[in-house]
């Protein structure tokens, strides 16, 4: 029996594993980097040990440090979560050597599926269908270019050691091959320390459908059905659901059996995922196997009623699978979205920084929140660190069918509010509202093909938004008369007279245009009198007891809203709508965002990996100038206009901070 588990991971996943451990009465041990000393997972663990600096390669990726904590804490098992050391066979082996149970597959199974190339070779033998391509050892550019031509463009270059969509480049024609190969190799080297690549036929608009498999130590292997993860951006999953919409029962069974065959071929134990691409005729092709728990495992837990972490622990303890394939049934439909700190309006640039306000819906049988950051109803929340994945939470919902799951997930997003770093929350809501998505017409190009719908041009704020924003600002000040205690002397709004008479003026700016809201309240009146851009609006108002939200009635229409105010930035959430307003706060400092005008600066802290121009070069608008790697992704700094390179401020290998000037153009 496992009594104490060390979780060799952080954030959301560490919290997730601990949740099951607590339920099973298993003690938990956290390891944490300097950046995570105050993190939620450290707080909820029974014991916690520091393991060094923020950079993962000096903390979470150092096997010796983790094993040392296992020894000191007396943990009898290690759960690796996903990412970090979860698919590192040397770590799995080192655990076993140290007499600590590694909760995962045997090292040999991890190794067998470790490289995408080796895995494909193995699956070819096991007669699992593959995407046509080259996955051998030869890596000379000329040879690979010839193979690409043989396969036929478009092709996809993939890092053999890859994951998370990194080190992957689509090549449309022979002319682009060399540049894309170098980019893929560079990204692969930086992310995985290995620049071996493979080449595949790039399928047009396939679906990504993966099978969850589970095996015990006695060779019993089952499939826990599929997840459709076709909704992706830059080959990274954004939304996952189970079961796959519209998949035929026959294909489900065939894919399940192929996945079980793949797992059996390598002597698999525990939870694993076999990823396939599926074409419009339901032909499927093996992509890779992930020998660990997946980020999107909660949707499978919802439709099967199983706790996969519990099953992993039981399998590691040497228990037989408590069910057979025939016992397993799909119950309803589940859907997960990944809420990220990123800016959809700015090419989804990953964000970081302190969360100012965070509100999640209450969990229920139909809504689950997996997060590693804290809700902070009245104060500052946790920080999204530049050192790790910028995920804030996974929001998961269940319904008796797909429509019900979508409705529940949308309801959950409507109650979610985050301010601080920019997030993809509004983008996710739009996704759920998209008619094609609702109709189940998903494929891996869905987001690209629906950009106009998912990323519409910014609309100017409505008059309602301005009115609610002002009520929120007044609520913040705690001076607004509420309908409940009309006439109370405490509601004398005479302080407003500072602004002249008993009317106060609030100004906003949107795209160079000013919006003006005036508020006045005659003594004894329960309701403030508003005008928005000259139009009178009748309003009543009642603040909530337990948080910052308030109820308001504007011209007879009822609203529930939260307004957050940070300098000039106002974030308004009301009834599922989310708006950002620019308040001309007389007390706020001018924002310094415009300082970077005319300079080419780093979008975020990172490392310069390529400088594409030389001093004195004449450059054209749109030409790539510098490539900065940050959060394991490459960001290309392009020229905003035609010009001449006047100064180059950074060289390859330099670490640069956010807004660091990289190049000056004339
Ligand atoms: P990673 O391990 O980096 O996540 P995968 O091999 O799992 O990379 O692929 C990620 C995504 O890239 C897939 O879900 C799919 O959208 C796309 N993809 C991968 N291979 C192909 C291919 N041959 N043709 C078209 N799209 C592909």
């Amino acid at each position: 029996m496992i009594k104490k588990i060390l979780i060799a991971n952080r954030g959301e996943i560490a919290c997730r594993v601990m949740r099951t451990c607590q339920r099973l009465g298993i003690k938990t041990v956290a390891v944490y980097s300097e950046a995570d000393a105050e993190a939620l997972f450290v707080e909820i663990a029974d014991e916690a040990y520091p393991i060094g600096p923020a950079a993962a390669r000096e903390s979470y990726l150092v096997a010796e440090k983790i094993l040392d904590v296992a020894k000191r804490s007396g943990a009898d098992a290690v759960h690796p979560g996903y990412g970090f050391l979860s698919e590192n066979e040397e770590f799995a082996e080192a655990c076993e050597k140290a007499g600590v149970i590694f909760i995962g597959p045997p090292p040999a199974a991890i190794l067998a599926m470790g490289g995408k190339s080796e895995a494909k070779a193995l699956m070819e033998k096991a007669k699992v269908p593959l995407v046509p391509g080259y996955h051998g050892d030869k890596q000379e550019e000329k040879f690979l270019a010839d193979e690409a031509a043989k396969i036929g463009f478009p092709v996809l270059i993939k890092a053999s050691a890859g994951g998370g969509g990194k080190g992957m480049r689509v090549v449309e024609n022979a002319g682009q091959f060399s540049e894309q190969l170098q980019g893929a190799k560079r990204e692969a080297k930086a992310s995985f320390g290995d620049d071996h690549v493979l080449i595949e036929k790039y399928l047009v608009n396939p679906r990504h459908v993966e099978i969850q498999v589970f095996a015990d130590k006695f060779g019993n292997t089952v499939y826990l059905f599929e997840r459709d993860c076709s909704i992706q951006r830059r080959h990274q999953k954004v939304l996952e659901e189970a079961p796959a919409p519209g998949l035929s029962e026959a294909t489900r069974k065939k894919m399940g059996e192929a996945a079980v065959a793949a797992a059996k071929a390598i002597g698999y134990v525990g939870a694993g995922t076999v990823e396939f691409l599926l074409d419009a005729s339901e032909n499927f092709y093996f992509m890779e196997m992930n020998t660990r728990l997946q980020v999107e495992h909660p949707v499978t837990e919802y439709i099967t009623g199983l706790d996969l972490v519990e099953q992993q622990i039981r399998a590691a303890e040497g228990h037989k699978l408590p069910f057979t394939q025939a016992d397993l049934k799909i119950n309803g439909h589940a859907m997960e979205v990944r809420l990220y700190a990123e800016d959809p309006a700015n090419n989804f640039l990953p964000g970081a920084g302190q969360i100012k306000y965070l509100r999640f819906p209450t969990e229920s049988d139909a809504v689950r929140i997996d997060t590693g950051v804290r809700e902070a109803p009245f104060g500052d929340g946790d920080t999204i660190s530049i050192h790790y994945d910028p995920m804030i939470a996974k929001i998961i919902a269940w319904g008796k069918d797909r429509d019900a799951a979508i409705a529940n997930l949308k309801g959950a997003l409507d109650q979610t509010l985050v301010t601080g770093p920019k997030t993809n929350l509004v983008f996710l809501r739009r996704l759920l509202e998209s008619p094609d998505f609702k109709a189940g017409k998903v494929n891996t190009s869905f987001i690209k093909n629906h950009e106009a719908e998912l990323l519409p041009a910014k609309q100017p704020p409505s008059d309602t938004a301005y009115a609610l924003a002002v009520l929120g600002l007044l609520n913040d000040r705690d001076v607004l008369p509420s309908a409940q205690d009309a006439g109370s002397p405490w509601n004398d709004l005479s302080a407003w007279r500072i602004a002249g008479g008993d009317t106060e003026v609030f100004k906003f700016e949107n795209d160079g245009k000013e919006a003006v809201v005036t508020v006045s309240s005659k003594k004894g009146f329960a309701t403030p009198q508003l005008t928005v851009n000259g139009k009178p609006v009748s309003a009543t108002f009642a603040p909530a007891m337990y948080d910052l939200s308030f109820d308001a009635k504007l011209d007879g229409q009822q609203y529930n809203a939260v307004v957050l105010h940070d300098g000039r930035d106002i974030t308004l959430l009301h009834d599922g709508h989310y708006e950002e307003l620019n308040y001309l706060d007389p007390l706020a400092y001018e924002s310094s965002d415009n300082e970077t005008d005319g300079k080419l600066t780093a979008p975020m802290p990172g490392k310069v990996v390529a400088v594409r121009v030389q001093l004195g070069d004449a450059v054209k608008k749109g030409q790539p100038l510098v490539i900065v790697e940050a959060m394991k992704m490459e960001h290309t700094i392009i020229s905003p206009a035609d010009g001449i390179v006047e100064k180059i401020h950074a060289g390859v290998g330099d670490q640069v901070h956010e807004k660091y000037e990289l190049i000056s153009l004339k």
Side-chain angles (χ1 to χ4, degrees):
M1 277 287 282
I2 292 173
K3 293 204 184 71
K4 198 189 244 190
I5 296 179
L6 182 157
I7 295 107
N9 217 298
R10 62 176 298 283
E12 167 264 328
I13 176 61
C15 292
R16 159 68 193 92
V17 174
M18 287 179 198
R19 200 203 273 229
T20 295
C21 291
Q22 279 173 351
R23 189 170 59 72
L24 299 177
I26 296 170
K27 290 260 174 286
T28 56
V29 179
V31 289
Y32 62 94
S33 76
E34 277 162 19
D36 283 332
E38 307 283 316
L40 178 61
F41 75 93
V42 175
E43 187 186 299
I44 62 180
D46 294 311
E47 296 168 41
Y49 297 80
I51 49 164
R57 63 179 180 285
E58 295 175 56
S59 49
Y60 297 108
L61 288 170
V62 185
E64 300 80 58
K65 289 189 179 180
I66 289 164
L67 283 168
D68 176 56
V69 173
K71 204 161 154 196
R72 281 195 284 149
S73 64
D76 32 45
V78 168
H79 193 300
Y82 34 74
F84 296 139
L85 293 169
S86 61
E87 292 180 288
N88 183 316
E89 78 281 358
E90 285 167 18
F91 177 63
E93 215 163 80
C95 287
E96 303 293 339
K97 277 216 186 91
V100 182
I101 297 170
F102 176 78
I103 302 179
I110 300 178
L111 186 64
M113 290 293 181
K116 290 187 203 283
S117 299
E118 298 85 334
K120 286 185 80 171
L122 234 153
M123 289 301 105
E124 204 163 27
K125 269 202 219 138
K127 303 230 160 18
V128 178
L130 300 183
V131 187
Y134 175 76
H135 51 262
D137 286 336
K138 289 201 185 148
Q139 293 290 303
E140 297 81 44
E141 181 175 328
K142 169 89 181 52
F143 176 83
L144 293 176
D146 287 347
E147 285 298 315
K150 260 194 252 164
I151 297 163
F153 290 98
V155 299
L156 186 64
I157 305 175
K158 275 188 192 176
S160 183
K166 280 158 200 149
M168 200 149 81
R169 303 282 174 120
V170 182
V171 191
E172 301 289 348
N173 56 54
Q176 296 173 346
F177 191 81
S178 175
E179 159 109 25
Q180 298 292 33
L181 179 67
Q182 276 159 33
K185 281 192 173 276
R186 213 170 34 235
E187 216 169 274
K189 185 94 197 161
S191 296
F192 318 109
D194 175 357
D195 67 358
H196 193 283
V197 297
L198 63 96
I199 310 217
E200 267 175 16
K201 175 86 194 153
Y202 186 66
L203 302 182
V204 180
N205 301 345
R207 285 167 71 178
H208 172 122
V209 177
E210 58 185 35
I211 306 288
Q212 175 74 55
V213 293
F214 207 96
D216 65 17
K217 289 185 175 169
F218 309 95
N220 302 306
T221 309
V222 296
Y223 60 92
L224 302 174
F225 311 107
E226 77 281 4
R227 291 182 287 259
D228 190 315
C229 313
S230 300
I231 302 293
Q232 307 181 339
R233 242 202 90 255
R234 285 218 228 168
H235 307 302
Q236 293 192 68
K237 297 163 186 168
V238 173
L239 176 151
E240 304 98 346
E241 59 182 310
L247 191 74
S248 72
E249 216 34 71
T251 305
R252 171 169 297 127
K253 185 158 184 279
K254 262 201 270 174
M255 290 180 84
E257 285 167 358
V260 167
K264 285 198 158 168
I266 56 166
Y268 201 77
V269 178
T273 294
V274 184
E275 296 190 331
F276 295 100
L277 290 174
L278 184 77
D279 72 15
S281 324
E282 293 202 348
N283 297 309
F284 58 90
Y285 306 95
F286 172 84
M287 253 191 309
E288 63 166 342
M289 179 166 183
N290 291 323
T291 52
R292 52 167 165 79
L293 199 65
Q294 299 267 95
V295 178
E296 57 274 22
H297 74 279
V299 294
T300 300
E301 298 190 316
Y302 255 139
I303 63 155
T304 57
L306 295 168
D307 177 331
L308 290 183
V309 173
E310 177 181 359
Q311 295 303 327
Q312 284 186 302
I313 296 169
R314 294 302 174 227
E317 285 174 333
H319 290 280
K320 264 203 171 125
L321 269 187
F323 41 75
T324 64
Q325 192 66 53
D327 298 329
L328 295 162
K329 298 261 162 351
I330 295 177
N331 175 28
H333 198 101
M335 203 172 270
E336 167 183 295
V337 287
R338 302 186 185 193
L339 179 64
Y340 278 113
E342 62 184 11
D343 184 4
N346 191 5
N347 201 19
F348 292 85
L349 196 69
Q354 190 169 47
I355 292 174
K356 297 273 166 62
Y357 182 87
L358 180 63
R359 189 179 78 179
F360 288 126
T362 321
E363 291 192 295
S364 69
D365 286 349
V367 175
R368 164 172 164 186
I369 310 292
D370 278 15
T371 185
V373 290
R374 256 164 298 209
E375 188 170 11
F378 289 103
D380 282 343
D382 290 345
T383 295
I384 301 293
S385 164
I386 57 157
H387 297 284
Y388 316 112
D389 188 62
M391 194 200 294
I392 298 169
K394 301 186 306 205
I395 302 175
I396 313 114
W398 179 88
K400 64 181 191 325
D401 54 27
R402 187 168 188 266
D403 289 346
I406 292 176
N408 287 341
L409 187 51
K410 212 179 139 272
L413 293 189
D414 285 354
Q415 291 169 47
T416 302
L417 176 61
V418 195
T419 65
K422 291 214 171 15
T423 77
N424 62 345
L425 181 62
V426 176
F427 176 79
L428 296 173
R429 287 189 69 250
R430 288 210 191 95
L431 196 55
L432 296 179
E433 282 167 0
S434 160
D436 280 350
F437 177 75
K438 283 193 195 159
K441 292 184 193 158
V442 296
N443 65 49
T444 56
S445 306
F446 186 93
I447 290 179
K448 213 167 73 207
N449 293 343
H450 291 76
E451 253 171 24
E453 184 185 346
L454 300 174
L455 294 165
K458 237 185 140 190
Q459 295 292 316
S462 62
D463 284 359
T464 303
Y466 285 125
L468 291 172
V470 167
L471 293 180
L473 286 171
L474 295 172
N475 184 32
D476 241 16
R477 268 194 225 160
D478 241 347
V479 294
L480 204 74
S482 84
Q484 285 130 24
D485 41 28
S488 149
W490 300 108
N491 289 328
D492 183 341
L493 299 178
S494 54
W496 293 0
R497 294 204 177 98
I498 294 165
D502 61 357
T503 298
E504 183 164 354
V505 178
F506 293 83
K507 289 186 177 165
F508 299 84
E509 191 256 2
N510 180 60
D511 251 351
K513 275 197 241 101
E514 213 173 72
V516 180
V517 180
T518 64
V519 191
S520 64
S521 174
K522 294 194 189 91
K523 206 172 169 180
F525 273 30
T527 51
Q529 302 294 301
L530 301 181
T531 68
V532 180
N533 294 323
K535 271 180 267 157
V537 178
S538 78
T540 63
F541 170 88
M545 299 295 288
Y546 50 89
D547 70 5
L548 299 170
S549 73
F550 59 90
D551 287 321
K553 213 177 204 178
L554 300 175
D555 285 341
Q557 177 84 30
Q558 193 69 45
Y559 298 94
N560 175 258
V562 179
V563 170
L564 294 152
H565 174 204
D566 182 19
R568 285 171 143 236
D569 299 328
I570 293 201
T571 310
L572 162 71
L573 177 91
H574 73 88
D575 314 286
H577 296 272
Y578 194 90
E579 301 208 50
E580 281 168 355
L581 304 130
N582 186 12
Y583 172 42
L584 299 177
D585 184 349
L587 300 176
Y589 293 107
E590 270 298 311
S591 131
S592 59
D593 276 0
N594 295 336
E595 262 175 25
T596 53
D597 274 1
K599 296 179 190 170
L600 289 153
T601 57
M604 55 197 311
K607 190 170 95 184
V608 175
V609 292
V611 178
R612 288 296 170 78
V613 288
Q614 292 182 350
L615 221 55
D617 277 2
V619 295
K620 289 248 171 297
K621 182 177 173 176
Q623 183 176 333
L625 304 175
V626 180
I627 300 175
V628 176
E629 183 208 289
M631 300 178 97
K632 304 239 171 81
M633 295 290 284
E634 291 193 351
H635 303 276
T636 305
I637 315 301
I638 59 170
S639 181
D642 295 356
I644 302 220
V645 178
E646 195 176 45
K647 253 196 181 132
I648 300 177
H649 305 276
V652 172
D654 286 357
Q655 288 288 344
V656 292
H657 55 75
E658 189 183 344
K659 300 210 173 135
Y660 180 91
E661 187 176 0
L662 299 164
I663 283 201
S664 326
L665 285 182
K666 209 164 37 185

